[in-house]
């Protein structure tokens, strides 16, 4: 029997949305994965501070995947001191799971374009195989991204990286658009799972830039 791969899908998930879930499912289907581990990042080096506290981002992820056997949620990056580096996560997972199981790292093509600048990128590409979720219009940019990777890592490693491209459907949802909609008082129904929307409302998250807190706590009335 083939050893089952460990499949990681990282992100800020601030908040998790249906675009993440649909993309992860599409990749899993295409690659035949039975499990995908979602890894929410600490306040990472690639983004500014998350708009929701770690505990809320984690809780939203747990709610989003409840009852779906494909997904599990890892707290590894949240438990470490920020910033979260993929390199450290891979080492930690390697240590926990032993050397036998290969690791696949699912990344959006947008993230892949930044890969040459990742912390210890040369080691990261050796520790895990990359599976690239390329949604339109990113799939059109894969030529340019490939050239960048060849230049940075050499032909052989770049070829390994590029082997794992999955074209995912275009679901035009992003966490930033959701945060903007919520802070403008607009609905986010169908963009996030219902349970996530309920949680956001009950905790008063994303009401205004930089401010959030329980609605009933009296601190989130702001200018709405
Ligand atoms: P933000 O809008 O704050 O930048 P985001 O919606 O891109 O956030 P992240 O948590 O940063 O969400 O994304 C995690 C991973 O999910 C990334 O690899 C990203 O490319 C991918 N991703 C995010 N939104 C989608 C989507 N609508 N379809 C496919 N992949 C997505």
């Amino acid at each position: 029997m083939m050893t089952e791969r460990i499949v990681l899908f990282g992100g800020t998930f601030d908040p998790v949305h249906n675009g993440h879930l649909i993309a992860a499912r599409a990749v899993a289907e295409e690659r035949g994965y039975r499990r995908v581990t979602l890894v929410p990042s600490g306040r990472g080096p690639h983004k500014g501070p998350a708009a929701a506290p770690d505990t809320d981002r984690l809780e939203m992820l747990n709610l989003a995947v409840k009852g779906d056997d494909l997904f599990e949620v890892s707290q590894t990056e949240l438990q470490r001191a920020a910033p979260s580096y993929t390199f450290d996560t891979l080492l930690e997972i390697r240590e926990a799971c032993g050397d036998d199981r290969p690791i696949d790292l699912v990344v959006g093509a947008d993230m892949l374009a930044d890969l040459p600048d990742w912390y210890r990128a040369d080691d990261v590409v050796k520790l895990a195989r990359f599976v690239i979720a390329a949604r339109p219009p990113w799939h059109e940019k894969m030529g340019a991204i490939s050239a960048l990777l060849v230049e940075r890592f050499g032909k052989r490693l770049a070829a390994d990286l590029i082997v794992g491209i999955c074209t995912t459907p275009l679901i035009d949802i992003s966490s930033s658009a959701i945060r903007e909609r919520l802070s403008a008082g607009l609905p986010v129904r169908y963009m996030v799972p219902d349970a996530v929307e309920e949680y956001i409302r009950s905790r008063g998250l994303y009401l205004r830039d930089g401010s959030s807190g329980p609605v009933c706590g009296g601190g989130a009335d702001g200018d709405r």
Side-chain angles (χ1 to χ4, degrees), residues 35-104:
R35 288 294 258 185
V36 174
T37 304
L38 302 174
V39 189
S41 59
R43 297 175 182 221
H46 301 291
K47 289 198 172 192
D54 291 358
T55 47
D56 288 321
R57 289 188 293 124
L58 178 65
E59 187 55 27
M60 290 187 281
L61 269 173
N62 284 328
L63 288 169
V65 304
K66 203 172 168 193
D68 185 343
D69 285 346
L70 177 64
F71 294 115
E72 63 188 359
V73 179
S74 161
Q75 298 193 33
T76 169
E77 295 198 358
L78 297 180
Q79 282 164 350
R80 268 200 324 263
S84 3
Y85 291 118
T86 302
F87 172 75
D88 295 328
T89 303
L90 293 174
L91 282 193
E92 210 173 297
I93 287 179
R94 220 348 109 246
E95 217 160 86
C97 301
D99 287 335
D100 302 342
R101 295 179 64 191
I103 304 177
D104 277 9

Side-chain angles (χ1 to χ4, degrees), residues 98-167:
D99 287 335
D100 302 342
R101 295 179 64 191
I103 304 177
D104 277 9
L105 202 60
V106 181
V107 293
D110 52 337
M111 303 283 283
L112 188 73
D114 297 334
L115 173 63
D117 301 324
W118 286 16
Y119 173 65
R120 302 196 57 170
D122 294 282
D123 295 312
V124 168
V125 297
K126 287 175 198 143
L127 285 165
R129 197 175 71 170
F130 277 68
V131 174
I132 301 139
R135 56 188 143 143
W138 281 95
H139 68 301
E140 287 166 12
K141 300 185 191 165
M142 283 313 299
I145 296 176
S146 304
L148 194 76
L149 296 178
V150 170
E151 195 186 303
R152 173 68 168 74
F153 299 109
K155 254 191 178 152
R156 234 180 103 183
L157 268 184
D160 286 349
L161 285 172
I162 291 157
V163 135
I165 296 179
C166 295
T167 302

Side-chain angles (χ1 to χ4, degrees), residues 164-181:
I165 296 179
C166 295
T167 302
T168 53
L170 172 60
I171 310 290
D172 192 10
I173 303 176
S174 66
S175 299
S176 39
I178 289 170
R179 293 195 300 272
E180 273 164 33
R181 289 182 66 84

Side-chain angles (χ1 to χ4, degrees), residues 151-217:
E151 195 186 303
R152 173 68 168 74
F153 299 109
K155 254 191 178 152
R156 234 180 103 183
L157 268 184
D160 286 349
L161 285 172
I162 291 157
V163 135
I165 296 179
C166 295
T167 302
T168 53
L170 172 60
I171 310 290
D172 192 10
I173 303 176
S174 66
S175 299
S176 39
I178 289 170
R179 293 195 300 272
E180 273 164 33
R181 289 182 66 84
L182 287 163
S183 76
L186 295 169
V188 294
R189 196 168 186 195
Y190 307 130
M191 301 173 88
V192 298
D194 289 346
V196 172
E197 186 185 3
E198 276 160 33
Y199 184 85
I200 289 172
R201 302 273 178 218
S202 74
R203 298 275 303 147
L205 299 176
Y206 310 115
L207 289 180
R208 266 179 315 172
D209 279 351
S211 84
S212 61
V215 169
C216 55

